[in-house]
Amino acid sequence: MLHSERVRGIVYQALLLAAVVGVGWYLIDNTLHNLQTREIQTGFGFLGRSAGFEIGETMIEYDPSRTYGRALAAGLLNTLWVSALGIVAATLLGTLIGIARLSSNWLLARLASAYVETVRNVPLLLQLFVWYGMLTELLPPVREAIAFGDLVFLSQRGLRYAWPQPAPGWSAAGWGLAAAVAGVLAWRWLAARRQQATGAQWPLLWPALAMLAGLPLAGWLLGGAPTALERPVLGGFDFQGGKALSPEFVALLAGLIGDTMLYVSGGAEHQGPTGGGPIAIIGQIQ
Amino acid sequence: MPKSRLAALAELVLAAALLVPALAWAGPTLDSIRQKGTLRCGVNSGLLGFSAPDRQGRWSGIDADFCRAVATAILGSPDKAQFVPTNTQNRFTLLQTGEIDLLSRNTTWSSGRDSTLGVVFAGTLFYDGQGFMVRKSAKISSARQLNGATVCVLPGTTTELNLTDYFRSHKMSFKPVVVNELPQIEQAFFSGRCDVFTTDLSGLAVTRLKVSNKDDYVILPEAISKEPLGPLLRRGDWEYFTIVKWVLFGLIEAEEYGVTSANVDKLKAESKDPSIQRLVGTSGDVGKGLGLDNDWLARTVKAVGNYGEMYARNIAPIGIERGLNAQWKNGGLMYAPPIR
């Protein structure tokens, strides 16, 4: 029986599995034992306890009386948010730079190459420091903020901008946008079916654009066409009202985009993103 | 391919075998210190007065001197202290994992740290309190006026938690800016990123000295917390704990009885006062009880001075009065149990 290749295979698999499980169990047991011997308390009970510290920017409601679990979730969402923005922006900019490197315009191609060659080996952490330093050292203090009308203010505290006051019209516009996206998808599906059945083509672009622009507009109009803006006003220590992008956020985003862009642009032929990730390759079609 | 699976299995078994000694119990701290011949001491990577390297790379400050005192008591020489710079995030982990034998890094003694981290505080080396520093131009005279301010704070500290508690209990709000290393957070404050910098009052005094326009900054009068800063060590070696605790008490008691680095040799030879004789080891066997020799405190005081000398050398130059850190006879909190 042991000469059967199939049986041997199964035996080896089982042995390997047992070894992996055994080593895993040993490591966990040993760690717990040592933590206990050293009187270090461990466990996940803390997740339900009140955190007691403040977080600068959160996407979900958070205050220091909330739990550690909530604080971790807030941090995780921040990471996902900055990653999502970074991926979109880096893809767009990276593609442009990749195309620019292949351009027949000598200046454009050389500038793009110079950018890639300069930044590609600067460690990400250093790039973050440079961006953060520029944002907090070169921009004016909050009381001397650079103002664009009374809508946008740029200072060491980041970018503060006016934002529509919450109103039914805006939520209606949001629903309109959602309906438009669903409508466009449905239209595409219908058009494809019709083309398969009859061979006739329906226009795609114009109805899609009309839906994407029209439905939110209709929702906004139906909701009473709100125009009131919440403007940032300087009061106390900082601007109050409106929305804000903090220097920490912008520096992190800029650093991530600047770094990831290189991989997207295909400029770092021998390097991949740290930790792996997709690399778009832009080739010239002769 | 059965052969490569076998190889993989062998590798796993080998890896497991190699992990055993690495994870095994390290043994009592005191033995390992004596065996290595050095005391690895975690200190602040740069807080003037507490521990900071000077131009020659020599660590100075009261926390660094305490490391030297323990090294002198156990190993006979202040040069046997080996300094490991730590930050607020990695300090406890380094101690727990045995990378350092002593953490002497302006660390606040609290019940949570004393009971859950597998560490134990040996006492208080410096009584501090948390304060706020603001720009003079902000025209603020009390911490109660800080509603809505942006506050620079070091993460993972009792400071961060006290700050939140203080604002919550006074129904005020703030925006935290959290940076890991002291130089960076000071830079963030001085550049104007934050309205307020908060840390222990001693730390604020040091930070304020670092800029040429120090008069543009004021430290608010409120101390919002108790911050007893002291040395701590890993649990599980009571002999070592007792030595560290009594080195601290010994330095304080030496000041109380007027034993200094300058007169300790003379007192050893001439003093007839029984208290002083016990301190310098010419009578009794205090040192033997601690598992050291009777000369332990005399040579420690000779090497680093008594508590008052350590204070005068390190803390006085940054402009902080003795205050709470004066001897109990002078209205302070420095009170050492008797050495006998």
Side-chain angles (χ1 to χ4, degrees):
Chain A
M1 256 232 316
L2 278 174
H3 295 287
S4 148
E5 201 169 320
R6 194 159 160 268
V7 172
R8 267 200 327 227
I10 291 172
V11 168
Y12 287 138
Q13 294 275 11
L15 281 177
L16 185 65
L17 185 70
V20 168
V21 170
V23 168
W25 179 83
Y26 169 77
L27 287 178
I28 291 170
D29 183 66
N30 200 0
T31 307
L32 288 177
H33 172 76
N34 276 315
L35 285 173
Q36 204 173 15
T37 322
R38 288 160 200 227
E39 295 173 54
I40 300 171
Q41 290 179 15
T42 183
F44 294 99
F46 75 96
L47 286 175
R49 274 180 232 132
S50 169
F53 55 83
E54 186 64 273
I55 301 179
E57 294 163 75
T58 56
M59 303 182 61
I60 50 175
E61 211 176 296
Y62 172 85
D63 68 70
S65 63
R66 304 302 283 264
T67 62
Y68 277 102
R70 184 92 178 174
L72 277 173
L76 188 65
L77 280 175
N78 282 348
T79 307
L80 290 177
W81 173 233
V82 79
S83 309
L85 285 180
I87 288 166
V88 172
T91 307
L92 291 176
L93 286 168
T95 308
L96 288 179
I97 289 196
I99 294 168
R101 287 189 82 190
L102 300 175
S103 162
S104 54
N105 181 323
W106 186 87
L107 186 64
L108 190 62
R110 288 296 173 277
L111 276 177
S113 293
Y115 167 78
V116 169
E117 294 303 326
T118 317
V119 181
R120 61 187 275 187
N121 276 328
V122 178
L124 179 58
L125 195 63
L126 187 58
Q127 294 188 37
L128 292 178
F129 273 128
V130 168
W131 281 109
Y132 189 61
M134 273 166 42
L135 288 167
T136 52
E137 299 285 336
L138 299 183
L139 288 173
V142 64
R143 287 179 190 287
E144 296 150 30
I146 304 167
F148 302 94
D150 59 351
L151 295 179
V152 178
F153 298 89
L154 191 61
S155 75
Q156 281 170 331
R157 299 289 164 85
L159 187 72
R160 195 96 190 190
Y161 50 94
W163 193 251
Q165 278 175 1
W170 289 112
S171 30
W175 287 113
L177 185 65
V181 171
V184 170
L185 291 177
W187 179 255
R188 245 184 60 176
W189 184 72
L190 279 177
R193 244 171 65 128
R194 200 183 129 87
Q195 191 180 358
Q196 266 186 355
T198 67
Q201 280 188 345
W202 276 353
L204 263 183
L205 184 65
W206 291 114
L209 283 180
M211 272 192 272
L212 284 174
L215 286 178
L217 184 69
W220 180 72
L221 286 170
L222 282 175
T227 52
L229 285 177
E230 194 183 294
R231 286 160 212 271
V233 178
L234 194 59
F237 285 100
D238 205 343
F239 284 99
Q240 313 292 330
K243 296 253 177 198
L245 280 179
S246 71
E248 289 78 21
F249 183 83
V250 176
L252 183 60
L253 190 61
L256 288 180
I257 293 171
D259 200 51
T260 324
M261 225 157 89
L262 299 179
Y263 304 122
V264 176
S265 75
E269 283 84 358
H270 312 295
Q271 300 164 272
T274 32
I279 306 175
I281 297 167
I282 296 164
Q284 217 165 4
I285 299 167
Q286 300 290 340
Chain B
M1 287 191 293
K3 213 164 190 181
S4 73
R5 284 205 190 111
L6 257 185
L9 184 67
E11 264 173 49
L12 273 174
V13 172
L14 189 65
L18 286 174
L19 278 166
V20 176
L23 290 172
W25 178 240
T29 318
L30 194 54
D31 284 352
S32 83
I33 292 170
R34 288 204 167 115
Q35 208 179 354
K36 286 178 307 193
T38 56
L39 175 85
R40 282 172 310 177
C41 198
V43 291
N44 196 313
S45 52
L47 179 62
L48 217 61
F50 287 84
S51 62
D54 64 14
R55 282 195 188 129
Q56 285 81 43
R58 190 186 141 82
W59 291 86
S60 64
I62 197 164
D63 280 343
D65 278 353
F66 185 74
C67 296
R68 291 194 175 97
V70 175
T72 313
I74 298 177
L75 299 168
S77 160
D79 302 325
K80 298 285 171 73
Q82 187 187 332
F83 295 98
V84 178
T86 62
N87 65 31
T88 55
Q89 303 276 54
N90 67 13
R91 52 183 168 178
F92 297 118
T93 316
L94 287 172
L95 185 59
Q96 287 166 340
T97 54
E99 290 286 311
I100 53 178
D101 307 309
L102 182 70
L103 181 64
S104 181
R105 190 205 181 278
N106 58 304
T107 300
T108 304
W109 186 359
S110 72
S111 66
R113 288 173 174 178
D114 224 9
S115 60
T116 63
L117 296 179
V119 300
V120 57
F121 281 77
T124 302
L125 184 63
F126 188 88
Y127 289 97
D128 211 333
Q130 184 177 339
F132 297 107
M133 178 157 63
V134 295
R135 267 170 212 77
K136 195 176 242 174
S137 58
K139 299 206 169 38
I140 283 177
S141 58
S142 156
R144 302 293 293 273
Q145 296 165 273
L146 292 178
N147 194 14
T150 303
V151 183
C152 275
V153 61
L154 287 162
T157 54
T158 51
T159 310
E160 192 184 10
L161 302 175
N162 293 330
L163 167 73
T164 316
D165 285 354
Y166 182 81
F167 274 75
R168 273 170 82 187
S169 61
H170 290 93
K171 300 201 165 36
M172 304 192 296
S173 68
F174 71 98
K175 274 185 234 116
V177 172
V178 176
V179 189
N180 218 346
E181 299 286 344
L182 185 66
Q184 272 90 48
I185 200 143
E186 288 172 341
Q187 188 53 37
F189 171 67
F190 288 126
S191 74
R193 175 68 188 99
C194 304
D195 302 303
V196 186
F197 176 44
T198 183
T199 187
D200 294 339
L201 284 161
S202 60
L204 290 179
V206 175
T207 296
R208 190 166 162 269
L209 291 179
K210 288 185 187 169
V211 283
S212 51
N213 55 341
K214 67 180 165 67
D215 292 332
D216 293 348
Y217 299 92
V218 285
I219 296 172
L220 297 180
E222 286 97 338
I224 65 163
S225 68
K226 295 185 285 186
E227 308 286 343
L229 312 180
L232 54 149
L233 42 103
R234 231 174 358 269
R235 281 172 174 246
D237 190 335
W238 292 114
E239 281 174 54
Y240 175 52
F241 170 69
T242 313
I243 291 174
V244 175
K245 184 167 65 175
W246 282 93
V247 167
L248 176 55
F249 287 144
L251 293 169
I252 294 169
E253 185 127 319
E255 184 191 15
E256 184 178 345
Y257 286 99
V259 180
T260 67
S261 54
N263 70 10
V264 62
D265 282 338
K266 191 158 167 280
L267 289 172
K268 231 157 81 174
E270 296 169 7
S271 179
K272 297 278 177 278
D273 182 334
S275 301
I276 290 178
Q277 282 186 331
R278 277 193 297 274
L279 278 182
V280 299
T282 47
S283 82
D285 43 13
V286 177
K288 289 211 179 81
L290 292 169
L292 302 169
D293 54 5
N294 267 346
D295 193 43
W296 68 287
L297 189 54
R299 80 169 161 261
T300 303
V301 169
K302 190 165 168 55
V304 299
N306 62 35
Y307 181 77
E309 291 178 272
M310 281 163 68
Y311 196 100
R313 182 169 60 237
N314 298 307
I315 305 290
I318 56 177
I320 300 171
E321 306 281 313
R322 282 296 288 267
L324 289 176
N325 295 296
Q327 287 284 334
W328 61 285
K329 285 178 174 168
N330 303 331
L333 295 175
M334 283 300 164
Y335 181 104
I339 288 189
R340 63 184 310 140

